[in-house]
Amino acid sequence: MTKALLLIDIQNGFCPGGNLAVADGDAVVPVANALIDSGRYDLVVASQDWHPPGHGSFASQHPGRHPFEIGELSGKPQMLWPDHCVQGTNDAALHPDLHLAGIDFVQRKGENPAVDSYSAFRDNDRAALTGLGAYMVSKGVTELDLGGLATDYCVKFSALDAVDMLPGAEIRFVADMSRGIDPSGVELAIAQMRAAGIEVVTSQDILS
Ligand SMILES: [Zn+2]
């Protein structure tokens, strides 16, 4: 029995003041810290969006296109984002208030300029694995609580991949440790996670 906590992309870039700020994104930090510090997890992992400059998901790389339009990347539809979480910049750093000492492992993603990687487990083309699935299997993860930024993108895809990659494990989405970009997208994400057998909980459910 290994209980794991997965913190998705709790980075400056996705918090107010960041290049791809999610409304109220920094509100997840104290919730994450309460869970990190709770002592109930055997393993705490954080994912980190970590793009090279000029990543193909950036609208700036598509002449005439704007952020939050659907464009194309490597022949597939791609949401075009503002430049964000560029390797080595403050925008890409994990939020400074996050209790980093309690994090056992950081999984970086989005390093291939030709494909985006919402999930902490694999790229959006579903071809390249990050290695996080095998790592969690090697640690014998049987329970995984996850959340972070943003619910309708990186959290959702990580949660759905976790179901695939950790067969038999109990996966829970921690709603108050998560914030989304688009309210209707968040609703859909929660419905999709529920349909995949993921339980929706709050940090209070976990800590009480
Ligand atoms: Zn990104």
Side-chain angles (χ1 to χ4, degrees), residues 49 51 84 116:
D49 214 25
H51 297 307
H84 67 278
D116 210 356

Side-chain angles (χ1 to χ4, degrees), residues 14 20 49 51 57-58 81 84-85 109 116:
F14 299 116
L20 182 38
D49 214 25
H51 297 307
S57 71
F58 298 166
W81 303 109
H84 67 278
C85 297
K109 64 187 181 65
D116 210 356

Side-chain angles (χ1 to χ4, degrees), residues 1-4 136 139-144 166 168-171:
M1 295 283 289
T2 300
K3 294 180 181 178
M136 288 198 172
K139 296 287 184 184
V141 171
T142 49
E143 291 180 28
L144 179 66
L166 303 171
E170 186 185 339
I171 318 287

Side-chain angles (χ1 to χ4, degrees), residues 55-206:
H55 190 270
S57 71
F58 298 166
S60 61
Q61 302 306 305
H62 301 256
R65 307 305 302 271
H66 300 96
F68 306 105
E69 290 178 2
I70 305 290
E72 200 175 274
L73 180 58
S74 300
K76 297 203 170 95
Q78 167 72 42
M79 175 67 94
L80 301 179
W81 303 109
D83 287 31
H84 67 278
C85 297
V86 172
Q87 296 172 5
T89 64
N90 186 54
D91 198 63
L94 294 173
H95 192 286
D97 294 338
L98 205 54
H99 291 179
L100 299 178
I103 295 172
D104 301 297
F105 179 69
V106 176
Q107 177 65 59
R108 288 176 169 168
K109 64 187 181 65
E111 297 177 73
N112 179 348
V115 59
D116 210 356
S117 188
Y118 295 150
S119 166
F121 293 95
R122 61 183 159 190
D123 286 346
N124 289 6
D125 63 4
R126 302 170 76 87
L129 302 177
T130 60
L132 182 58
Y135 174 77
M136 288 198 172
V137 167
S138 78
K139 296 287 184 184
V141 171
T142 49
E143 291 180 28
L144 179 66
D145 293 343
L146 60 84
L149 305 170
T151 305
D152 36 345
Y153 287 93
C154 294
V155 175
K156 175 180 85 172
F157 286 101
S158 297
L160 296 176
D161 276 349
V163 172
D164 272 1
M165 298 203 183
L166 303 171
E170 186 185 339
I171 318 287
R172 302 192 295 183
F173 164 66
V174 187
D176 58 330
M177 192 174 74
S178 306
R179 292 294 186 278
I181 293 175
D182 171 46
S184 63
V186 170
E187 261 184 57
L188 179 64
I190 289 174
Q192 287 174 310
M193 287 191 280
R194 280 209 166 102
I198 296 162
E199 195 183 347
V200 178
V201 299
T202 67
S203 59
Q204 289 220 320
D205 298 331
I206 294 168

